[in-house]
Amino acid sequence: MKGILLFLVLITGVALTGYVSGVDKSVSSDDSVRLATKTVISNLNVAWEITWGPDNWIWFTEQGGSLSKVNPETGERKILLHIPEVYRYRSLGLLGMAVHPDPKKPYVFLDYTYKNGTSILSKLVRYTYTADTLINPVILLNDIPGATGHNGSRVTIAPDGKVMMSTGDAVKGANAQNSGSINGKILRINIDGTIPADNPFPGSPVWSLGHRNAQGLAFGRKGILFSSEHGDAVEDELNVIKKGANYGWPFVEGFCDTEKEQAFCKTTEVTVPVKSWTPVIAPAGIAYYNSSTIPGWRNSLLLVTLKTQSLRVLKLNEAGNEVLSEKTYLDHEFGRLRGVCVSPAGDVYVSTSNRDWNPGEGYPKKEDDRIIKIFPAKAGSTIVTQKKTVKPVLLPGAVIYNNYCTSCHKSDGKGIAGIFPPLKGTSQVLGDKNTLIHIMLKGLSGPITVKGQKYNQEMPAFNFLSNKDISLVASYIRTQFGNKASTVSEAEVSKVRAAKK
Ligand code: HEC
């Protein structure tokens, strides 16, 4: 059977780029079509943003600093621009891009990080496109403070023609609450870089505040703006962005539900997310879908994720401002997904991010990174149904480890040299239990040395986990990956938690 399918794929010639597969997950009660996927282009290097251009090509950025477009039918690629000034490191580089939808305004907006001495900064630049070149760069926003994490960022054009951009808090939570800082914000400017007269803080590009690190920005129906945002160890968010609203970071993560959060929400008006995710999913690009091509997806927000390597379809209510349901597609099929866009014909395109700083296990593959088309399968032969993987039954400690630790320390406990330390054979894991429990409750912010290698990054606090869960995951890492240390009890965790309050 396998042989026949492969044969059909070959003879139909649909596999222009050598890859066709179906996504049988879409066949469910309210999905009316079977979907297939096809690689449009491969061998890219983190296609951060993809967008449907006015010329019916897909325009895309690559993190290292290139802007290209690809013909979605033939896979032909044209490189339009390379910006040598771009500073790529971890999640920094050439990030957001928006192409103005009005052909009479032939503008492309790009936002990227660069270095000035040792400072990391970002700028938003507008280029004018002609047939196949980009000319007249105009800097619209300059010297936006950056950092090696929490740096955003996305750019989109509002239905009223304004340019919207998200900025990260640059690892200083206080920036997000300070309306005088440009960090941790959604910004709004005119296409010439001037400040719209109706912005909430006169003379300031700030449109909303209290954001940690929004890496998705898109308009839905009736001019409703959505952002997707990375939480810390918990509470990734999808927000509906309103003029002048405060989204609570760093005091409120997700909803106003803990005691501390409720206290803050009593004195400050906080707008809570329309949806949040714990364990985190690492949400990236978003796009609004309202085509009848995939009827089940009409009036949905499409969200791609990095950590959970999937495409989420978030069905919206009639008003377009609430999420009614969530479905997951492409689950671990192509690795980390960074960007998503929709064509006027109602086909969906996603881009992978497997050559970034934190690749999933088994990635990058040689064809990475890719742009992949998702479309209604043609009747007949080319569907290859997705394999259903049987998930092994896991120890409770393994479940917690997979949910909260694997994305950084990896399932084999080997980490990523210089970024995420190993948990295999380290003195912090195998040594004094109280120190280990303390690390898990409070997190870490460098610098530390693990097995002779320096680390100077952030590890989130896991104090929201119960004593039991901490004891399970601590025991797990002390007995896995070839580690052979004693287990940790709930009582031991309880003691450390009480002592450090
Ligand atoms: C977002 C990424 C991230 C997640 C998620 C994460 N860690 Fe870490 N972890 C780090 C980083 C980064 C360091 C080093 C911190 C530094 O440089 O100061 C670290 C350090 C550690 C250390 C001490 C150094 C060592 O390797 O022995 C332990 C132990 C540890 N983590 C355990 C865990 C456990 C258990 C979990 C899950 C409950 C977890 N971490 C989740 C990023 C992470």
Side-chain angles (χ1 to χ4, degrees):
M1 186 62 189
K2 229 184 193 171
I4 294 170
L5 282 175
L6 181 66
F7 178 61
L8 286 170
V9 169
L10 291 177
I11 57 158
T12 52
V14 183
L16 270 184
T17 46
Y19 187 91
V20 172
S21 97
V23 186
D24 227 3
K25 284 202 163 163
S26 62
V27 188
S28 67
S29 55
D30 64 341
D31 281 330
S32 40
V33 288
R34 281 159 70 85
L35 298 174
T37 57
K38 175 181 140 184
T39 297
V40 174
I41 185 170
S42 41
N43 297 312
L44 306 178
N45 197 323
V46 186
W48 194 281
E49 181 65 294
I50 56 175
T51 187
W52 193 267
D55 51 0
N56 289 325
W57 286 47
I58 296 170
W59 296 48
F60 63 94
T61 58
E62 280 170 283
Q63 198 184 347
S66 323
L67 170 64
S68 304
K69 59 184 183 180
V70 58
N71 180 324
E73 296 304 317
T74 64
E76 185 195 352
R77 173 187 187 170
K78 288 182 184 162
I79 298 180
L80 300 176
L81 183 71
H82 181 77
I83 309 173
E85 187 192 13
V86 166
Y87 173 59
R88 178 181 175 174
Y89 175 71
R90 291 185 49 162
S91 55
L92 309 178
L94 173 54
L95 308 177
M97 169 191 52
V99 183
H100 202 291
D102 179 356
K104 288 194 204 98
K105 298 191 172 102
Y107 298 134
V108 185
F109 301 85
L110 295 174
D111 101 75
Y112 61 85
T113 45
Y114 62 101
K115 262 187 135 174
N116 186 355
T118 55
S119 308
I120 295 166
L121 300 163
S122 290
K123 60 172 82 165
L124 175 65
V125 185
R126 186 191 79 198
Y127 284 85
T128 302
Y129 63 84
T130 61
D132 277 323
T133 53
L134 293 175
I135 53 170
N136 295 341
V138 177
I139 299 174
L140 303 185
L141 291 170
N142 207 7
D143 295 343
I144 301 171
T148 56
H150 311 200
N151 206 90
S153 146
R154 289 283 169 181
V155 183
T156 192
I157 309 292
D160 68 0
K162 301 288 190 272
V163 184
M164 313 296 300
M165 175 177 167
S166 66
T167 58
D169 72 1
V171 204
K172 283 197 195 98
N175 283 336
Q177 287 297 319
N178 175 1
S179 60
S181 158
I182 198 168
N183 287 105
K185 303 293 179 322
I186 308 292
L187 308 174
R188 177 179 186 253
I189 58 172
N190 294 314
I191 54 174
D192 60 1
T194 58
I195 309 288
D198 59 346
N199 267 16
F201 304 95
S204 163
V206 171
W207 183 250
S208 65
L209 62 160
H211 302 283
R212 181 177 177 273
N213 190 17
Q215 291 191 354
L217 207 54
F219 282 89
R221 58 171 50 165
K222 301 173 192 154
I224 295 170
L225 177 61
F226 290 92
S227 74
S228 75
E229 305 192 21
H230 291 265
D232 194 12
V234 288
E235 308 279 18
D236 282 343
E237 298 181 354
L238 180 75
N239 286 305
V240 166
I241 299 302
K242 294 182 202 137
K243 174 179 176 174
N246 184 342
Y247 291 80
W249 175 257
F251 300 110
V252 183
E253 300 179 69
F255 299 90
C256 278
D257 43 16
T258 67
E259 239 173 72
K260 268 191 193 159
E261 290 174 338
Q262 283 168 353
F264 183 78
C265 294
K266 259 189 199 147
T267 55
T268 308
E269 196 178 329
V270 170
T271 306
V272 295
V274 288
K275 189 165 176 60
S276 78
W277 290 265
T278 302
V280 289
I281 58 175
I286 51 179
Y288 180 63
Y289 192 89
N290 200 26
S291 166
S292 50
T293 301
I294 308 174
W297 292 10
R298 263 199 103 142
N299 190 31
S300 291
L301 203 64
L302 310 180
L303 162 72
V304 288
T305 73
L306 299 161
K307 181 185 169 194
T308 51
Q309 307 185 357
S310 59
L311 167 69
R312 309 287 173 112
V313 177
L314 307 169
K315 188 88 181 162
L316 301 173
N317 64 349
E318 242 343 269
N321 59 1
E322 277 171 31
V323 176
L324 300 178
S325 68
E326 173 181 22
K327 287 193 173 183
T328 301
Y329 297 82
L330 308 183
D331 186 15
H332 289 84
E333 233 194 317
F334 299 109
R336 289 157 70 79
L337 301 181
R338 181 70 71 173
V340 54
C341 73
V342 180
S343 75
D347 298 323
V348 174
Y349 296 82
V350 296
S351 64
T352 69
S353 189
N354 293 317
R355 292 190 184 276
D356 69 16
W357 65 296
N358 190 14
E361 286 160 68
Y363 290 98
K365 300 197 191 299
K366 76 177 186 332
E367 59 270 47
D368 280 321
D369 278 307
R370 302 193 256 171
I371 294 175
I372 291 151
K373 177 181 182 179
I374 303 155
F375 58 103
K378 313 268 181 307
S381 53
T382 58
I383 292 278
V384 181
T385 52
Q386 194 187 11
K387 255 200 217 151
K388 294 224 163 47
T389 45
V390 181
K391 289 202 174 143
V393 180
L394 295 172
L395 301 167
V399 173
I400 301 165
Y401 186 81
N402 285 346
N403 282 339
Y404 296 107
C405 319
T406 309
S407 60
C408 298
H409 295 290
K410 308 300 162 194
S411 62
D412 58 7
K414 286 189 182 152
I416 297 184
I419 300 178
F420 303 121
L423 300 176
K424 185 181 161 70
T426 74
S427 51
Q428 289 87 343
V429 173
L430 298 175
D432 176 45
K433 290 187 200 175
N434 290 350
T435 311
L436 175 61
I437 296 167
H438 190 243
I439 289 174
M440 295 186 51
L441 289 173
K442 297 280 164 164
L444 277 172
S445 53
I448 61 166
T449 303
V450 182
K451 294 177 114 179
Q453 167 105 35
K454 280 218 167 83
Y455 292 87
N456 194 1
Q457 312 277 351
E458 257 188 298
M459 151 141 164
F462 289 91
N463 54 359
F464 60 88
L465 290 176
S466 68
N467 293 342
K468 177 156 188 225
D469 285 354
I470 299 255
S471 75
L472 285 170
V473 72
S475 301
Y476 180 79
I477 61 173
R478 280 164 66 87
T479 54
Q480 293 296 308
F481 327 127
N483 288 345
K484 289 196 179 70
S486 58
T487 55
V488 174
S489 72
E490 215 178 313
E492 285 169 308
V493 180
S494 163
K495 247 198 197 153
V496 176
R497 200 193 291 263
K500 304 282 177 184
K501 253 193 180 156

